[in-house]
Structures are given as C-alpha cells and as structure tokens.
Amino acid sequence: MNLLASNPLSDLDPAPWVTPCPAVRGVTVGLIGPGKVGSALLEQLLAARSALRQDPGVDLRLRVVADSRRMWLDHENEHLGPHVSGTCTWRPSSLDAVGESLAGLPCPVLIDCSASDRVASHYAHWLASGIHVVTPNKLAVSGPLERWQAIGQARAGGAQLRYEATVGAGLPVVQTLRDLLATGDTLQSVEGLFSGTLAWLFDGYDGKVPFSHRIREARELGYTEPDPRADLSGEDVARKLVILAREAGMDLSLEQVDVTSLVPPALHELDLETFLERMNELDDDLAERHALAASRGEVLRHVGRLEADGRASVRLLALPADHPLAQGRGCDNIVRFRSRRYPDPGLRVQGPGAGPEVTAAGVFADLLRVAAEARA
C-alpha cells in the first residue's frame, strides 16, 4: 500500500517551517498505523489545519508515517511536501528511527493508531526522550503493570501520554474521570456498556432470531473483530476497566478483572472456521436468559463495572427496562460515574463508542490538549 499516495497531508504546500507569529505553536506529528483510524485522522487534520493556525494558534506538521513494514521520513526537509517532489523517502520500518526523527523538533507528538504490543512497549522510551504520545491503542495502558509504572516514571520528565480514545472512542470518558478527580471529587463506581459490538448485539436481540445469527450479521457489517470471540470474551471491556482504574490511581491488572465470557470453554480453543460453524451452540443458553429476563420486564446488557476499592467485573446482566444502562440504542456506549458529587443516578456519558471517524476525533482532541499544555 502506498501510504502517501492517498495521504491527504501530502498535498500541503512545501513552504519552509515558519512560525507565522509568536502566538502560533508548532507541533511536529508522527503517525504509526495509517489504517482506518489513522487515515481518518489525517483527513481531519487536513480539514482543520488552516483554522487551527488562527485559533488556537497551532501549526501542525507531519514528519513521519510508518506501518508495520515501512515508513516515510522526510530527512531533507522537516515539513511535508508533495511526495512527487522526491523529498519523501521510503525505508524499512524502524520504531527507533521513528522516535529519532521527532526528537528535538518543536513539540514532537507521536500518534500510535496501531493495535501493536511491540509499539506500545516503546512508549516509555519515547516519553523519556521528550516525545509526547497520543494513542487509541489499549495495550500500553492496560498491559503489564511494570510497563505502566515505567511509563509513569518516563512521564515525570514532562512528556504527556494521552489515551482518551482507548475507552469510548471519541466520547470524553477518560477526561471526565480525570476532571472529577482533579477537582477533588471522590469516585464511588464506574459502570457501563463499554463495547459497541456487544451493545448492538443485545439491543436488537429478541430471543426469536438465534443469537448466532446476530453475531453473523454484526460480523458482516464490520461491527465485530474478524474473530468474534475477541468481543464475546469480554477481554476488550476488561482492558477498558483497567485503563479507568489506573487513571484513578489503582494498580489493577488485567488478570484481576472478574470476566464471565459469553464463549463456553468448549468453543474457546477452536480454530476460527470451526467456531463460526458451531456458534449455534450459544443460542439455547442466551434464548433462555432472554426469556427469563423478559418475563420480569428486564433486558440483557453486557456490563463492565469498577468499584472504588478496585474490584472490577465484566458480565452479562438482566437489568430493568428503565435502567440507565438500558437506554442506549445500537452501538452506543454508556458510561455512568457515581461519585460524592454525583450520586444516584450519577453522571452519564453516552454516544457512539466505535468507528474510525469518532475514534480519530478522540485522538485529534488529545493532540490539541497536548499542544495546549505544551504552550502553557
């Protein structure tokens, strides 16, 4: 894939890096993972670039784009010119070289739109080098506790790590929690529908159409991971709870989250094709659970919950039809914070929690927060 052939920022004029006035803040951007989210982000950056120069005075310059196989570096010129001009150079991908290409430039920000654990393992090094990191990649913030602690030590030097889009895509979930705690509130619990895929599956499930048919439909629509067990297992929701717990100062690890998978053990270890053929083995149990819930005026919802004492759980629950977590539609994420200031019914954040456009918007907002704090 020719990343720059369809790269919207490659059409920017190659004028030298000139700060238009002292009020304008230059920001040097590197992007890892120019897939669906990364490409959507580049489109958004281009569309907003002129306006951002005026208010709030941010001048975005793309320095490097890298995928798993190769990267583009503009060593002759630190701003992005048209790739047809010959200034763009393709090289074998190197995470070390990506960081080196940003070090020392004005307000360097590395955006990781991959889902790579190898990339996540470099965050501490980049942060210690003074490079800010913005990401929707959950693997760094929810990964091994030792890695998270190393990231914390690296951030002590002043470089920022922003990860709003790891929970709820473009919804302000992490920032809401951060603001509550920063202003002296006391967290009591966080609970919600953290998976847009599972929210969609259960919102339209009536017990008449087999649940396995719902999964197949979701897979055809692109709502699930290629292997639906990645969604049905609850691990993705568990990672989001770990992220929120660590944001709240808790040393929670993924293995400490009590997760009840929707996939029975007999189906968990099968190869993908065999699992897809045997998905109907999920149907009877879920139909019975739906019928029982409906007889009580309840609905099934897949809920993640984090308590103030650090206990976390992920499971399918039967909730009253008027429950706040039963009010979503389609792929909506719903996250409800309870705190000293916001007791029942709590503070609720709701909206689309998946998709390239909204995820890219969450990343973009974090990029602007980095620029604003760096200016301060």
Side-chain angles (χ1 to χ4, degrees), residues 47-231:
R49 187 166 183 257
S50 295
L52 289 175
R53 283 175 169 173
Q54 303 302 316
D55 184 13
V58 174
D59 189 22
L60 300 174
R61 295 286 179 167
L62 186 65
R63 168 71 171 175
V64 56
V65 177
D67 65 13
S68 61
R69 296 178 296 108
R70 56 184 182 169
M71 63 183 180
W72 169 85
L73 293 174
D74 186 1
H75 281 293
E76 295 76 26
N77 204 325
E78 63 257 313
H79 37 272
L80 181 61
H83 68 282
V84 295
S85 69
T87 63
C88 302
T89 305
W90 286 106
R91 302 163 185 256
S93 189
S94 165
L95 294 177
D96 289 336
V98 168
E100 290 167 2
S101 71
L102 296 175
L105 294 177
C107 192
V109 183
L110 203 157
I111 301 175
D112 173 22
C113 288
S114 77
S116 167
D117 190 68
R118 186 171 70 90
V119 176
S121 69
H122 280 65
Y123 285 13
H125 172 70
W126 288 327
L127 291 163
S129 301
I131 299 171
H132 308 290
V133 177
V134 173
T135 185
N137 183 350
K138 291 182 280 292
L139 298 183
V141 191
S142 67
L145 188 58
E146 296 79 9
R147 177 194 290 172
W148 175 243
Q149 292 169 340
I151 287 173
Q153 294 173 358
R155 294 164 76 185
Q160 301 177 53
L161 172 65
R162 291 280 182 171
Y163 45 90
E164 181 66 72
T166 59
V167 183
L171 299 177
V173 177
V174 175
Q175 190 62 43
T176 296
L177 176 58
R178 184 172 293 174
D179 290 344
L180 289 174
L181 299 176
T183 57
D185 205 351
T186 303
L187 184 67
Q188 297 172 352
S189 67
V190 185
E191 65 178 351
L193 311 185
F194 291 95
S195 167
T197 300
L198 291 166
W200 185 89
L201 286 172
F202 285 104
D203 178 53
Y205 180 53
D206 59 6
K208 300 174 183 177
V209 175
F211 193 74
S212 58
H213 288 199
R214 292 284 294 168
I215 298 173
R216 290 189 178 93
E217 184 179 0
R219 192 167 183 263
E220 290 171 0
L221 292 170
Y223 291 167
T224 74
E225 295 294 328
D227 187 340
R229 288 172 293 187
D231 302 292

Side-chain angles (χ1 to χ4, degrees), residues 15-38:
W17 184 304
V18 177
T19 302
C21 67
V24 175
R25 173 70 172 179
V27 177
T28 312
V29 178
L31 174 68
I32 298 175
K36 291 182 178 179
V37 174

Side-chain angles (χ1 to χ4, degrees), residues 332-348:
D332 275 5
N333 279 189
I334 305 175
V335 181
R336 182 169 67 154
F337 297 92
R338 286 196 185 95
S339 69
R340 176 175 54 81
R341 293 186 190 137
Y342 296 91
D344 284 336
L347 172 62
R348 187 167 69 183

